[in-house]
Amino acid sequence: MQPGIFQEASRCLALAQPAEKCAAVASLNAAVQTGDFSWDTDTPVPNIDTVGRPERPALVNPSQVPRRRLGNPAGRVALLHAIAHIEFNAINLALDAACRFRDMPEDYYCDWLSVAADEARHFQMLQQRLLDLDAEYGDHPAHNGLWEMAEQTADSCLVRMALVPRVLEARGLDVTPGMMVRLDAVGDQQSCAVLQIILDEEVGHVAIGSRWFAWCCEQEGKEPGATFLELLQSRYAGSVRGPFNRTARLLAGFSEAEMKALESGA
């Protein structure tokens, strides 16, 4: 019997151990890419609070996450650990996007499961870099801001597409080049190479969010640019600060009007 796409995605979401989760996600994506699955639309939507994560790292307030000075190996470990935590959360975010919203076109689910597989691969690359530096994921505390946004946007695919890929994940497009410059300055070209792969592929992930945000807006008769800016005011508690990686954001589906509004602080 072919695996059910929603049952398997929900199972991957619930897995707690990173290695097991990454392997299961890769297997599910391979099945989806070859068409070896079934559309089990009667599978229940998972509860938002049943996401699987390991016992470590400890989750703390963002102010308690250690500062990352890159002049020594410990600082690089702390930075890479923070990015690995983002990528682990991104696996769960992509899986949840595929599990939760059941009235989308079939391509939507294939897109987000392919994103989950990419995020799993990114996590594994970062975990290997941590091991190279005699560390591993879980050694440092981390915060839960990414998943908290998943909880806050569980009611609407349109809102989820606006605020997770196009705000939180798009932030990575802005800050990753600067991280690479800092790592290169201290001679850590191996980590730079990993971050370059992640940056290149995250442009495509944010573009997927932009695509499905626009689709949701079309279904609801809303103009995407104005709707995005309105949601930043009404549903996002933080602020979207520059400087922005304009080139990457435009490639990822942001319009010139959106970029001008973000750059002006509108």
Side-chain angles (χ1 to χ4, degrees), residues 33-236:
Q33 295 302 316
T34 59
D36 186 22
F37 68 95
S38 62
W39 292 102
D40 55 327
T41 54
D42 57 340
T43 294
V45 174
N47 293 329
I48 193 69
D49 59 356
T50 59
V51 60
R53 58 170 65 92
E55 292 184 3
R56 299 168 61 244
L59 298 179
V60 299
N61 186 282
S63 64
Q64 296 178 273
V65 177
R67 294 176 62 85
R68 300 179 288 273
R69 302 184 185 280
L70 303 188
N72 56 67
R76 295 198 295 279
V77 164
L79 174 65
L80 293 169
H81 188 280
I83 303 170
H85 183 65
I86 290 170
E87 296 299 321
F88 184 80
N89 273 278
I91 303 169
N92 285 332
L93 286 164
L95 289 169
D96 189 75
C99 292
R100 185 155 308 285
F101 306 110
R102 297 292 175 86
D103 56 352
M104 300 294 288
E106 292 181 358
D107 283 353
Y108 167 89
Y109 305 102
C110 298
D111 275 351
W112 284 110
L113 291 175
S114 73
V115 171
D118 286 348
E119 306 292 17
R121 183 165 40 81
H122 297 170
F123 174 83
Q124 290 172 313
M125 291 189 294
L126 289 160
Q127 172 73 313
Q128 183 57 58
R129 282 299 298 143
L130 288 170
L131 292 172
D132 293 343
L133 296 167
D134 297 320
E136 64 178 337
Y137 180 59
D139 285 352
H140 290 267
H143 67 80
N144 200 34
L146 281 172
W147 192 252
E148 288 170 357
M149 182 58 75
E151 295 172 336
Q152 294 164 19
T153 59
D155 61 318
S156 166
C157 188
L158 185 153
V159 178
R160 173 71 66 85
M161 294 299 104
L163 299 187
V164 173
R166 304 190 92 233
V167 175
L168 300 186
E169 295 187 46
R171 181 64 179 155
L173 306 183
D174 302 329
V175 301
T176 301
M179 293 178 188
M180 292 169 61
V181 169
R182 293 162 63 201
L183 288 166
D184 183 68
V186 297
D188 192 347
Q189 280 76 35
Q190 298 98 318
S191 295
C192 284
V194 170
L195 293 191
Q196 185 66 64
I197 293 169
I198 293 173
L199 176 61
D200 292 344
E201 295 185 355
E202 291 294 346
V203 171
H205 298 172
V206 178
I208 286 171
S210 293
R211 172 191 178 190
W212 291 112
F213 172 66
W215 187 91
C216 290
C217 286
E218 182 179 3
Q219 301 310 298
E220 297 187 20
K222 297 179 177 180
E223 197 283 314
T227 302
F228 176 65
L229 296 175
E230 187 279 324
L231 287 170
L232 289 180
Q233 295 292 324
S234 64
R235 295 288 299 264
Y236 184 61

Side-chain angles (χ1 to χ4, degrees), residues 248-260:
R249 281 179 175 258
L250 290 172
L251 288 172
F254 284 81
S255 68
E256 281 285 354
E258 285 175 320
M259 290 308 307
K260 288 178 181 177

